[in-house]
């Protein structure tokens, strides 16, 4: 009987952006997980980390964009760093996975964190507690979108107030906590919308709600993203070309003149074209995820991918 050899396990490189302080907030995961080779900021540091991972073993290397949905440019930045490495002898060994999470995942994770902390601290659920969602300051669109996220957390949660604060931005955490008190909150709990801590430095009268996700939960999501990418890689889809289009639709709306449309293709391997209409960005209804239960031990389940990398990507040919 012929013995089949198991395929080599994938090596993982984490691409970090402002949600993880350029990957520095992911250092504990690199130390904890033997398959995670490195965490690096998108750009030259990521390219160097991927080269090191490719040289370290003969198996595939998967790059996971570590965004919770607040860094839409991270996927495209990672794809640009990888596009020149994916040619030649490493073709078929390098893949860009789906992002770690999206906007709807972030709403669900924040709702779970809010539920874990109750609405009024030691006194149990009640109307007097405020949740302060903190994050590193980013661009105006990313920061504005966090207010939308906080509104959804408040709408479907038990806290009377859910406010937002930005490290290095406006309002900062101290100002956000003061706003909660002025509104009448008896307790304030800070929870991060990032991979870092809720508070880089303590604030008087503000409870640190701890990390948004524990190490085991993060590792579980990374493993799920990697497994999905390896499946697609087996069908010749490395995710890099699709990742280059990930920024499309973000930022200011723009027009292409009379008619407001243009057509483009997908390059090699994707010869079909498609048309986009510009001038305004229609706002589709955003589904609100169901509450995410927190099992014993505090480990959150890995969310399933919310969609495809690109709405026009051709299905793999089996």
């Amino acid at each position: 009987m012929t013995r089949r050899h198991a395929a080599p396990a994938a090596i993982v490189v984490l691409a970090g952006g402002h949600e993880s302080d350029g990957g520095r907030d992911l250092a504990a995961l690199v130390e904890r997980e033997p398959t995670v080779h490195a965490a690096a900021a998108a750009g030259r540091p990521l390219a160097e980390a991927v080269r090191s991972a490719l040289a370290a073993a003969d198996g595939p290397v998967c790059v996971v964009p570590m965004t919770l949905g607040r860094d839409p440019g991270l996927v495209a930045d990672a794809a640009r760093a990888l596009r020149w490495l994916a040619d030649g002898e490493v073709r078929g060994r390098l893949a860009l996975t789906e992002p770690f999470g999206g906007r709807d995942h972030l709403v669900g994770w924040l709702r779970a964190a809010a539920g874990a902390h109750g609405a009024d601290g030691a006194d149990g659920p009640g109307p007097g507690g405020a949740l302060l969602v903190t994050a590193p300051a980013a661009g105006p669109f990313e920061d504005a979108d966090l207010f939308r996220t906080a509104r959804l957390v408040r709408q479907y949660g038990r806290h009377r107030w859910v406010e937002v604060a930005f490290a290095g931005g406006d309002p900062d955490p101290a100002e956000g906590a003061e706003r909660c008190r002025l509104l009448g909150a008896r307790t304030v709990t800070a929870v991060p919308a990032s991979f870092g801590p809720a508070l880089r430095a303590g604030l008087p009268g503000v409870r640190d709600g701890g990390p948004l996700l524990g190490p085991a939960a993060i590792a579980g999501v990374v493993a799920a993203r990697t497994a999905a990418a390896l499946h697609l890689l087996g069908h010749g889809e490395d995710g890099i070309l699709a990742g280059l289009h990930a920024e499309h639709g973000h930022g200011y709306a723009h027009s292409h003149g009379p008619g407001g449309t243009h057509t483009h293709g997908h390059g090699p391997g994707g010869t079909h074209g498609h048309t986009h209409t510009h001038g305004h960005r229609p706002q589709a209804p955003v589904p609100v995820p169901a509450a995410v239960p927190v099992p014993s031990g505090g480990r959150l389940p890995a969310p399933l991918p919310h969609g495809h990398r690109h709405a026009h990507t051709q299905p793999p040919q089996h």
Side-chain angles (χ1 to χ4, degrees):
M1 178 171 41
T2 302
R3 178 176 298 176
R4 294 183 178 180
H5 296 280
I11 297 179
V12 176
V13 177
L14 308 177
H18 62 78
E19 294 163 294
S20 63
D21 193 18
R24 285 178 283 274
D25 289 330
L26 301 168
L29 187 66
V30 176
E31 296 177 1
R32 170 192 171 99
E33 300 297 325
T35 59
V36 179
H37 180 78
R44 181 173 295 179
L46 178 62
E48 292 175 353
V50 171
R51 287 192 186 97
S52 173
L54 288 166
D58 296 330
V61 173
C62 291
V63 177
V64 184
M66 297 298 288
T67 174
L68 297 165
R70 292 195 63 242
D71 195 352
L74 180 61
V75 179
D77 288 342
R80 283 189 284 268
L82 301 181
R83 65 184 303 184
W84 307 116
L85 298 175
D87 295 329
E89 59 188 32
V90 303
R91 183 178 295 276
R93 290 186 56 206
L94 181 59
L96 180 65
T97 79
E98 292 280 356
F100 178 91
R103 294 173 178 176
D104 293 341
H105 295 102
L106 181 57
V107 172
W109 286 324
L110 285 170
R111 287 179 61 198
H117 291 292
D120 208 15
D123 298 330
L131 194 73
L132 184 63
V133 178
T134 66
F141 294 99
E142 292 83 359
D143 289 353
D145 197 59
L146 189 58
F147 284 92
R148 167 191 172 276
T149 296
R151 183 64 178 84
L152 291 174
V153 174
R154 176 179 177 269
Q155 181 71 31
Y156 299 99
R158 296 181 295 171
H159 288 76
R160 183 173 179 181
W161 300 284
V162 178
E163 296 295 319
V164 170
F166 301 98
D170 178 27
D172 65 22
E175 292 170 324
E178 181 63 17
R179 174 174 171 78
C180 292
R181 296 189 188 98
L182 291 173
L183 290 171
R186 295 194 297 269
T187 62
V188 180
T189 301
V191 174
S194 68
F195 292 100
L199 300 170
R200 295 286 179 180
L203 285 176
V206 179
R207 268 199 312 261
D208 190 329
L212 179 65
L213 298 171
I218 296 175
V221 178
V222 168
R225 300 293 178 264
T226 301
L230 288 175
H231 175 77
L232 292 175
L233 189 62
H235 296 291
E237 172 57 63
D238 62 13
I240 297 173
L241 183 62
L244 292 172
H245 299 283
E247 284 180 303
H248 192 82
H250 295 282
Y252 290 103
H254 61 282
S255 175
H256 286 262
T261 60
H262 72 284
T263 303
H264 62 84
H266 283 262
T271 56
H272 69 291
H274 59 274
T275 300
H276 295 273
T277 300
H278 293 270
H280 72 281
R281 188 178 303 114
Q283 299 297 321
V286 178
V288 177
V292 180
V294 183
S296 60
R299 176 171 178 174
L300 297 180
L304 295 176
H306 192 65
H308 299 288
R309 289 191 180 92
H310 194 284
H312 300 278
T313 301
Q314 294 282 12
Q317 299 298 317
H318 296 272

